[in-house]
């Protein structure tokens, strides 16, 4: 009997809590059938609508890592990035090493066999670094990006050009690598597309070209389903 009475009281208290509706403005509790707050007179139904809208908006927040939701300013279209890469910097790094060795030899030669001040030899040696720095900048100005719907090629600094190839128009993906490229782990990825301009798109000197080609093929097969 005591257990049944306790259960009945818990049920009554829970029901009262469910039926109570608190005002967002003043915090007063109202019945769930109330249209207006009994303290401040604010319309409760409008508050419920606003809360529901906020909850829906929160549920649709875009989470890039999870690939869920709708990204902002995309008109409701969801587009996930598969990879974004630049041409390999392997040769650029090798160029910096050669420039350092050349600068040291230049400074040593000038200091040992010429009357020129050492400071001028150091400055001349630093100029050697401009060569790999130029190619470094040139490589960084090119970027290849694959999304779940297209392949983009961005190039340029002041005047930048972006070329987009829809995955649905890609006809063939070919990996090309010379003996030296294969030994160093990079190569070219050639994309045949059926766009109005026709022709090929070449992703030059990229690391792991076979894996990148597999990524493109995987997204193409996904669109065909």
């Amino acid at each position: 009997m005591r257990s049944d009475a306790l259960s009945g009281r818990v049920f009554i208290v829970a029901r009262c809590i469910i039926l109570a509706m608190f005002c967002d403005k003043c915090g007063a509790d109202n019945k769930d059938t109330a249209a207006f707050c009994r303290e401040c007179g604010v319309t409760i139904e409008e508050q419920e609508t606003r809360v529901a809208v906020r909850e829906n908006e929160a549920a649709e927040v875009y989470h890039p890592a999870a690939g869920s939701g709708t990204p902002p300013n995309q008109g409701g279209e969801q587009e996930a990035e598969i990879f974004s890469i630049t041409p390999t910097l392997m040769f650029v790094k090798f160029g910096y090493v050669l420039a350092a060795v050349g600068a040291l030899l230049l400074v040593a030669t000038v200091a040992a066999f010429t009357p020129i001040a050492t400071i001028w030899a150091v400055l001349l040696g630093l100029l050697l670094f401009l060569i790999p720095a130029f190619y470094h900048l040139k490589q960084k100005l090119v970027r290849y990006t694959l999304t779940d719907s297209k392949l983009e090629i961005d190039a340029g600094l002041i005047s930048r050009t972006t070329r987009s190839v829809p995955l649905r128009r890609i006809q063939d993906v070919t990996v090309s690598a010379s003996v030296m490229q294969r030994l160093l782990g990079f190569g070219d990825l050639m994309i045949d597309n059926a766009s109005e301009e026709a022709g090929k798109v070449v992703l030059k000197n990229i690391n792991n070209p076979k894996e990148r080609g597999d990524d493109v093929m995987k997204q193409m097969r996904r669109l065909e389903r």
Side-chain angles (χ1 to χ4, degrees):
M1 291 294 294
R2 183 175 300 176
S3 176
D4 294 340
L6 181 60
S7 300
R9 291 178 183 177
V10 172
F11 175 78
I12 293 173
V13 172
R15 191 171 187 275
C16 291
I17 293 175
I18 293 173
L19 293 177
M21 181 176 297
F22 295 93
C23 176
D24 288 346
K25 185 175 181 181
C26 66
D29 59 325
N30 300 272
K31 293 183 178 180
D32 61 339
T33 57
F36 301 93
C37 177
R38 62 184 179 83
E39 293 292 337
C40 62
V42 173
T43 304
I44 296 178
E45 294 179 353
E46 293 181 357
Q47 292 179 359
E48 292 178 353
T49 303
R50 289 197 297 270
V51 170
V53 171
R54 286 197 296 269
E55 290 177 352
N56 291 335
E57 291 176 350
E60 294 178 358
V61 172
Y62 180 52
H63 300 285
S68 61
T70 302
N73 302 323
Q74 294 294 328
E77 296 182 0
Q78 180 180 341
E79 191 170 4
E81 182 178 291
I82 310 303
F83 66 73
S84 183
I85 58 175
T86 60
T88 182
L89 296 178
M90 188 175 299
F91 290 127
V92 173
K93 295 176 182 178
F94 185 65
Y96 279 119
V97 172
L98 290 180
V101 173
L104 291 175
L105 291 176
L106 178 61
V107 172
T109 302
V110 170
F113 300 104
T114 66
I116 302 176
T118 306
I119 184 63
W120 294 110
V122 172
L123 292 177
L124 290 175
L126 292 177
L127 290 178
L128 295 177
F129 286 91
L130 292 178
I131 299 175
F134 169 77
Y135 286 100
H136 191 176
L137 178 62
K138 186 177 179 180
Q139 297 287 76
K140 297 295 288 186
L141 293 180
V142 178
R143 178 164 293 276
Y144 308 120
T145 303
L146 174 68
T147 69
D148 55 1
S149 63
K150 65 180 181 293
L151 178 67
E152 288 185 349
I153 300 93
D154 294 326
L157 177 60
I158 299 176
S159 178
R160 194 161 184 83
T161 302
T162 301
R163 183 177 180 183
S164 297
V165 180
L167 293 181
R168 295 185 182 276
R169 296 185 178 181
I170 294 179
Q171 297 177 320
D172 185 47
V173 178
T174 305
V175 176
S176 175
S178 63
V179 176
M180 183 61 67
Q181 286 177 322
R182 291 180 61 185
L183 291 176
L184 297 177
F186 67 93
D188 300 334
L189 189 63
M190 295 181 289
I191 308 291
D192 286 323
N193 67 91
S195 63
E196 296 180 359
E197 298 178 357
K200 287 186 177 182
V201 174
V202 181
L203 280 59
K204 297 181 179 180
N205 297 325
I206 61 174
N207 292 319
N208 305 315
K210 189 177 184 304
E211 294 180 9
R212 302 309 181 187
D214 292 340
D215 290 336
V216 176
M217 296 295 293
K218 184 185 301 182
Q219 295 304 311
M220 290 171 60
R221 289 193 295 268
R222 187 187 62 81
L223 291 177
E224 292 175 354
R225 294 176 183 174

